[in-house]
């Protein structure tokens, strides 16, 4: 049995599909602060198999110990946390509380119950300003905002814990830019309020919930002047988690990139989404967004060697699947 914290969220729900599809049993632990229980009903529909849902907060160590013991969990996938860079600048204490303290309580609960296998959702944000590209896993680590600092602190906590007890098995997965949805269109990303991220915003323009996209800058050092990122299909990402879990059969601690290795510009994403949806995406060029960098993308050699995994889905597939979800659920899970 695998405990999936934050399993109702965007990436967690897709990971649940990947886990259930490979025959694993899953118990989701989520407080639904940024998700809907409907996502988990849909996951079960897609897989034709049940999962267990427990509502709770990862900062509640006693509740976690109870779940780990009651369901005989042998490993944990830890997605629960807050993820908005902007909000983390406005409310840093909330981010340290939910992300850092939440992860600490989870590790305590695992230690108390003898569960020592964990896959953690980290982010390419831990590489900070690029000193070279692609980012390899050896790229120096730094954080440029409170959200990034929480991820870096949790990574350090995990490495320290493994150093103190090498019977642990720890996978730190550094995601690049997850987009897309399960090919059924039944589950997908459902941001609350105005989306900060590019693809959810573009999708809401395509469906008519927003009038125009703001492109934050076209004077970057990139081929067309707009920002370049490594977008990865969320189902490729989910498959990467299943591969990481297999590798954790042996005690070890590793950090690995989950990206495609290829960068796409904002304008390329807009064009791919227009093709996928058959809708025009009107946009305005606006000044740069604070904190944004020109370009970043992943080195992928280590993931292929260590996990035997690599991303397979194209930008076109990411947009087509994202659009299937958005067009069949114009208001998300509401
Ligand atoms: P999400 O907000 O959709 O999912 C997070 C889930 O955790 C939600 O279901 C939320 O209700 C739950 N949660 C939050 N705080 C909790 C708490 N204290 N106790 C219990 N449950 C709680 O986000 P996501 O995009 O699925 O991201 C999942 C993880 O991956 C996060 O840790 C995020 O930082 C990380 N990550 C995301 C991205 C991205 O671009 N989406 C990139 C890199 C890393
Ligand atoms: C992508 C590109 C924008 C919105 C963030 C976090 C990162 C990780 C993934 C969690 C950039 C441009 C965007 C819009 C735009 N999350 N853009 N108009 O900033 O690369 O990464 O999400 O770990 O930590 O920082 O992703 O989707 O916000 O932006 O022009 O309305 O799209 O400037 O070039 P980002 P994004």
């Amino acid at each position: 049995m695998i405990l999936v914290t934050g399993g109702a969220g965007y990436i967690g729900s897709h990971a649940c599909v990947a886990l259930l599809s490979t025959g694993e049993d899953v118990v989701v632990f989520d407080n639904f602060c940024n998700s809907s229980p409907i996502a988990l009903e849909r996951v079960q529909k897609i897989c034709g198999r049940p999962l267990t849902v427990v509502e709770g907060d990862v900062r509640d160590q006693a509740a976690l110990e109870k779940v780990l013991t009651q369901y005989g969990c042998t490993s944990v996938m830890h997605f629960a946390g807050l993820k908005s860079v902007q909000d983390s600048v406005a409310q840093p204490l909330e981010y340290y509380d939910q992300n850092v303290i939440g992860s600490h309580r989870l590790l305590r609960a695992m230690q108390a119950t003898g569960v020592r296998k964990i896959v953690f959702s980290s982010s390419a944000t831990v590489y900070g300003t690029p000193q070279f590209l692609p980012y390899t896993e050896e790229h120096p680590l730094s954080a440029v905002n409170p959200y990034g600092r929480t991820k870096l602190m949790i990574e350090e906590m995990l490495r320290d814990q493994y150093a103190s007890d090498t019977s642990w098995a720890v996978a730190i997965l550094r995601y690049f830019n997850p987009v897309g949805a399960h090919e059924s269109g039944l589950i997908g990303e459902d941001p609350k309020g105005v989306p900060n991220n590019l693809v959810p915003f573009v999708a809401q323009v395509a469906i008519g919930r927003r009038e125009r996209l703001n492109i934050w800058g076209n004077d970057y050092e990139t081929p067309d002047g707009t920002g370049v990122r490594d977008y990865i299909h969320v189902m490729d990402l989910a498959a990467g988690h299943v591969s990481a879990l297999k590798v954790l059969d042996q005690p070890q601690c590793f950090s690995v990139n989950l990206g495609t290795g290829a960068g796409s510009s904002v304008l390329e994403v807009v064009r791919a989404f227009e093709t996928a949806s058959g809708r025009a995406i009107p946009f305005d060029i606006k000044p740069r967004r604070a904190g944004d960098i020109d370009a970043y993308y992943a080195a992928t050699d280590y993931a292929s060697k260590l996990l035997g995994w690599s991303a397979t889905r194209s930008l076109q597939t990411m947009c087509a699947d994202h659009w299937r979800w958005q067009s069949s659920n114009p208001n998300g899970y509401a």
Side-chain angles (χ1 to χ4, degrees):
M1 179 70 84
I2 301 171
L3 173 67
V4 181
T5 75
Y10 172 45
I11 303 170
S13 57
H14 289 81
C16 285
V17 168
L19 287 169
L20 289 174
S21 307
T22 51
E24 302 282 0
D25 294 318
V26 169
V27 51
V28 167
F29 187 89
D30 201 303
N31 66 0
F32 302 108
C33 69
N34 196 37
S35 56
S36 163
I38 299 170
L40 296 172
E41 289 167 20
R42 304 268 183 97
V43 166
Q44 297 174 78
K45 191 172 170 190
I46 291 168
C47 298
R49 289 189 57 205
L51 54 67
T52 304
V53 184
V54 175
E55 188 167 349
D57 192 301
V58 280
R59 292 165 296 180
D60 185 346
Q61 187 184 328
L64 286 166
E65 285 182 24
K66 191 171 166 217
V67 173
L68 288 165
T69 312
Q70 185 176 347
Y71 296 99
C73 297
T74 51
S75 54
V76 175
M77 282 195 185
H78 180 35
F79 297 95
L82 305 181
K83 63 166 179 178
S84 158
V85 170
Q86 214 179 317
D87 292 352
S88 80
V89 174
Q91 307 156 34
L93 299 183
E94 192 59 22
Y95 271 68
Y96 289 113
D97 193 24
Q98 303 247 6
N99 292 3
V100 180
I101 295 178
S103 300
H104 173 259
R105 298 275 157 76
L106 171 64
L107 293 178
R108 283 271 209 208
M110 290 174 66
Q111 190 172 44
T113 55
V115 180
R116 295 195 179 82
K117 203 186 288 189
I118 180 166
V119 177
F120 171 63
S121 302
S122 189
S123 166
T125 192
V126 299
Y127 294 123
T129 309
Q131 297 185 11
F132 55 82
L133 286 173
Y135 284 135
T136 64
E137 287 80 359
E138 287 73 40
H139 187 283
L141 303 180
S142 73
V144 291
N145 54 61
Y147 167 73
R149 262 185 288 283
T150 68
K151 290 291 171 190
L152 207 45
M153 284 179 189
I154 300 162
E155 284 204 2
E156 300 291 15
M157 188 157 59
L158 287 164
R159 283 188 278 270
D160 287 341
Q161 180 55 23
Y162 175 75
S164 78
D165 180 352
T166 54
S167 70
W168 279 64
V170 178
I172 294 169
L173 306 183
R174 295 179 180 148
Y175 312 159
F176 281 68
N177 288 52
V179 299
H182 186 263
E183 61 181 10
S184 62
L186 284 171
I187 58 172
E189 185 166 14
D190 182 19
K192 289 195 171 39
V194 183
N196 291 321
N197 294 117
L198 177 64
V199 172
F201 200 104
V202 167
Q204 292 193 4
V205 173
I207 200 70
R209 279 171 66 180
R210 312 211 172 260
E211 281 191 7
R212 304 174 74 80
L213 169 71
N214 291 323
I215 294 186
W216 307 124
N218 67 350
D219 56 354
Y220 284 104
E221 293 287 316
T222 59
D224 66 22
T226 63
V228 165
R229 298 290 183 271
D230 186 340
Y231 298 93
I232 175 168
H233 195 294
V234 67
M235 286 309 296
D236 279 334
L237 196 64
H241 287 68
V242 175
S243 303
L245 197 62
K246 281 200 194 106
V247 172
L248 289 188
D249 280 344
Q250 299 299 321
Q252 58 189 306
C253 177
F254 60 81
S255 314
V256 66
N257 292 337
L258 296 185
T260 66
S264 305
S265 73
V266 177
L267 285 172
E268 284 170 334
V269 171
V270 168
R271 281 190 214 106
F273 211 94
E274 286 183 327
T275 304
S277 63
R279 308 268 175 104
I281 310 292
F283 62 81
D284 299 306
I285 304 291
K286 296 281 179 168
R288 293 180 177 199
R289 185 172 68 177
D292 272 358
I293 50 187
D294 302 58
Y296 66 80
Y297 39 93
T300 57
D301 291 355
Y302 188 51
S304 346
K305 195 169 139 222
L306 177 75
L307 309 179
W309 168 92
S310 55
T312 59
R313 293 164 177 86
S314 67
L315 180 63
Q316 205 52 60
T317 302
M318 297 177 211
C319 293
D321 289 344
H322 205 107
W323 176 242
R324 193 173 303 108
W325 150 255
Q326 184 71 78
S327 53
S328 41
N329 302 270
N331 296 307
Y333 293 112

